[in-house]
Amino acid sequence: MRNIFLFIQRYFTFISFLVLQIICIILLSRSSESHNSFFSTAANEVTGRINRQYSGVTQYFALRETNRLLAEENAQLRNLLKDNFIDTVAKSINVTDSTTRDSSGRTRKFRFLPAHVIGNTVTLQNNYLTIERGTLQGVKKGMAVTSPQGIVGVVVDAGPNISRIMSLLHRKSKVSAMLKKDGVAGSLEWDGADPSYLLLTDIPKSSVIKTGDTVLTSTYSSNFPSRLPIGTVSKINSDTESNFYTLRIKTAVNFFSIQYVYLIDNAFYQEQFNLEQSTPNKQ
Amino acid sequence: MNPVIKHIFRFILFILIQVFVLNTIPPLHQFIVPYLYFLFILWLPIGINRVALLLVAFLFGLSLDYFTGTPGLHASPCVLIAYLRPFLLQLLLAQETAEAGYKEPGHATMGWVPYITYAGILSLIHHICLVLIEWLQFGDFFYFIGKVTGTTAISLLMILIAELLIPRKEASRAGK
């Protein structure tokens, strides 16, 4: 017994070093398994508050850019207004409202929720954004996130007032995307190299692609509405061993200066998710 | 200033600089990521209790992790360099400096060459550990070597600039 105590006394520093390293490894492995397990809400709220203070200062520097984007988007939305279209038959009256059902009996699928970005990284291999909205304001895990220019990421963790978004600049991020001109869908990933470029893989060589082609979210995605902008093709890599192209996509979003985003709630997300999970992969 | 308050102040300052300044700089290249935060651990007093040093380093790394959303990623290399630091100081320090434990490692207490060796070795170890964790997740050997070299070089450059820019009272008073 005495020897054990002597041993502990002798190697106390080394033992505490080992214990701390093991804690680090446990934290790391748990956080990479699932994002939600470790981020305790308390720690998120603390760093969130500091981030909010800081972004309160920096957002003034980006006001001009934010303003321009808002004006651009306003113009886009104004073009969609019902008043701009003349109904030549004039037999029905169109009503714009935000209820869950419209007058022709169709059900609302997507709801948009604006949010202010208060934290953002781009230099790491796994990047996250922090936003000032939480479950109290209706944020749910798995909600899609887009900015006025293009899509940004997916909500992975929601606290009461602060949420975290897995940015597209994340090694595990995977979004279904398609080419605008022929609707061929592939999978959008990031290789960790340059924050302004993403990779679109699994595009069959049968489709004709030119640099500058527009890439949109595909119709297969469970959380993203279809046809949201992602970016443009900047380089075509043709892999000689397989039948697929790997495309380098210049992102439409400037990830360095995201100020405001929209969270998109798909009313049927849970249903689609459960159904796709429950179908066995091998029949 | 009371040394404890001074170090708490530095703790907060280094975290804020890393999170809000260095992490927001647009990257020049995928291999070059500016890291300066671990200079806090290099600047702790020479005679600090070794277990306390480990705990402080762990807390320091973990608080940075909460900002970047990667618990454990920075804490692990911080604990590693905190553990190796006393051994390295023992090798590099002159006898009389090693006995004056309240002093901090710096060019004035150690001399330029030992200080650069000290900072260089520890930042190399820090980056090897940090990039190794990323590499185990993503796997690309060229990436590993390139990123360790690029990041260590830029860190060492920033440590030298910080050393020249920031006069540390304790350090200069104890000069030769």
Side-chain angles (χ1 to χ4, degrees):
Chain A
M1 198 63 191
R2 192 166 158 272
N3 282 338
I4 295 176
F5 282 123
L6 275 179
F7 177 81
I8 292 177
Q9 207 174 6
R10 173 110 171 66
Y11 292 104
F12 185 64
T13 320
F14 185 65
I15 290 170
S16 46
F17 166 69
L18 276 187
V19 168
L20 289 177
Q21 280 293 5
I22 288 168
I23 295 175
C24 290
I25 292 168
I26 291 172
L27 291 181
L28 260 175
S29 56
R30 278 179 59 187
S31 70
S32 52
E33 260 167 36
S34 57
H35 306 282
N36 39 22
S37 60
F38 187 71
F39 285 128
S40 61
T41 335
N44 246 346
E45 292 281 320
V46 171
T47 55
R49 196 171 305 152
I50 298 170
N51 274 328
R52 179 165 29 193
Q53 296 290 337
Y54 182 73
S55 87
V57 177
T58 52
Q59 65 169 317
Y60 290 104
F61 299 113
L63 273 184
R64 182 187 293 266
E65 179 68 7
T66 313
N67 223 347
R68 186 183 67 78
L69 290 175
L70 281 178
E72 234 168 54
E73 201 189 12
N74 269 343
Q76 225 175 61
L77 292 177
R78 268 174 207 281
N79 283 332
L80 297 176
L81 277 182
K82 290 275 194 287
D83 300 348
N84 290 342
F85 300 93
I86 302 165
D87 195 348
T88 45
V89 189
K91 63 183 173 188
S92 65
I93 302 161
N94 286 319
V95 181
T96 318
D97 62 2
S98 59
T99 52
T100 52
R101 277 171 164 276
D102 71 2
S103 51
S104 56
R106 295 183 304 174
T107 312
R108 169 176 282 266
K109 188 177 176 189
F110 294 108
R111 265 184 44 241
F112 287 70
L113 183 73
H116 182 196
V117 177
I118 56 175
N120 182 15
T121 61
V122 289
T123 50
L124 302 173
Q125 293 294 306
N126 292 329
N127 294 296
Y128 294 90
L129 289 95
T130 313
I131 54 163
E132 202 180 1
R133 283 262 190 242
T135 46
L136 294 178
Q137 289 88 33
V139 176
K140 283 178 256 170
K141 246 177 252 171
M143 277 169 97
V145 182
T146 180
S147 79
Q149 301 139 292
I151 65 167
V152 171
V154 175
V155 176
V156 285
D157 193 23
N161 294 303
I162 308 276
S163 309
R164 274 209 187 250
I165 299 167
M166 178 165 91
S167 153
L168 286 185
L169 307 178
H170 190 292
R171 289 283 196 143
K172 292 204 176 80
S173 141
K174 214 167 198 178
V175 176
S176 176
M178 69 178 183
L179 294 163
K180 185 184 180 187
K181 75 177 158 192
D182 53 4
V184 174
S187 153
L188 189 74
E189 286 155 38
W190 190 51
D191 59 351
D194 188 334
S196 2
Y197 292 95
L198 298 166
L199 290 184
L200 180 61
T201 56
D202 296 345
I203 296 289
K205 285 190 176 163
S206 56
S207 59
V208 184
I209 301 165
K210 284 200 196 92
T211 52
D213 284 357
T214 310
V215 179
L216 306 172
T217 53
S218 85
T219 44
Y220 309 142
S221 175
S222 56
N223 36 17
F224 281 100
S226 49
R227 310 188 72 78
L228 286 179
I230 293 175
T232 52
V233 176
S234 80
K235 200 175 164 205
I236 303 164
N237 288 326
S238 139
D239 190 358
T240 45
E241 288 149 18
S242 77
N243 252 334
F244 297 101
Y245 285 123
T246 299
L247 308 177
R248 239 163 110 75
I249 310 293
K250 173 96 176 76
T251 55
V253 188
N254 181 359
F255 278 95
F256 296 102
S257 63
I258 299 176
Q259 291 284 323
Y260 288 93
V261 292
Y262 298 104
L263 305 173
I264 305 170
D265 183 25
N266 179 357
F268 305 134
Y269 174 69
Q270 207 54 43
E271 190 180 335
Q272 185 176 353
F273 183 79
N274 289 344
L275 209 58
E276 285 175 353
Q277 288 294 309
S278 66
T279 315
N281 283 331
K282 288 173 190 167
Q283 281 286 11
Chain B
M1 207 194 309
N2 185 332
V4 177
I5 295 175
K6 184 179 72 184
H7 285 292
I8 291 175
F9 185 67
R10 265 186 205 165
F11 185 111
I12 298 168
L13 201 69
F14 271 114
I15 292 273
L16 292 184
I17 287 178
Q18 182 66 40
V19 173
F20 292 121
V21 181
L22 297 178
N23 277 355
T24 54
I25 294 174
L28 294 169
H29 188 264
Q30 70 171 117
F31 289 155
I32 299 174
V33 181
Y35 279 117
L36 185 64
Y37 73 105
F38 59 92
L39 189 57
F40 168 75
I41 297 169
L42 305 195
W43 276 3
L44 285 170
I46 293 169
I48 188 174
N49 182 307
R50 291 179 58 188
V51 178
L53 178 65
L54 286 177
L55 284 175
V56 169
F58 179 69
L59 278 181
F60 183 69
L62 204 63
S63 22
L64 182 67
D65 282 335
Y66 272 113
F67 278 101
T68 55
T70 49
L73 181 66
H74 296 97
S76 173
C78 279
V79 172
L80 181 67
I81 58 169
Y83 179 69
L84 295 176
R85 201 188 91 133
F87 298 109
L88 200 64
L89 281 177
Q90 224 167 20
L91 284 177
L92 292 170
L93 277 184
Q95 190 63 40
E96 78 249 42
T97 332
E99 277 159 11
Y102 61 91
K103 287 179 191 165
E104 295 164 7
H107 69 95
T109 44
M110 297 171 73
W112 273 111
V113 177
Y115 180 68
I116 292 172
T117 322
Y118 163 75
I121 291 178
L122 285 187
S123 47
L124 185 67
I125 291 170
H126 172 272
H127 295 315
I128 287 178
C129 181
L130 184 72
V131 183
L132 188 70
I133 296 172
E134 283 183 344
W135 178 54
L136 289 179
Q137 289 171 2
F138 311 123
D140 180 355
F141 191 68
F142 176 66
Y143 166 83
F144 174 70
I145 296 292
K147 191 158 179 184
V148 168
T149 325
T151 312
T152 307
I154 204 84
S155 283
L156 206 54
L157 185 70
M158 284 194 303
I159 288 174
L160 289 183
I161 293 173
E163 194 66 32
L164 291 172
L165 279 183
I166 305 169
R168 283 181 290 151
K169 268 225 184 89
E170 250 81 7
S172 53
R173 201 193 298 152
K176 289 166 193 172

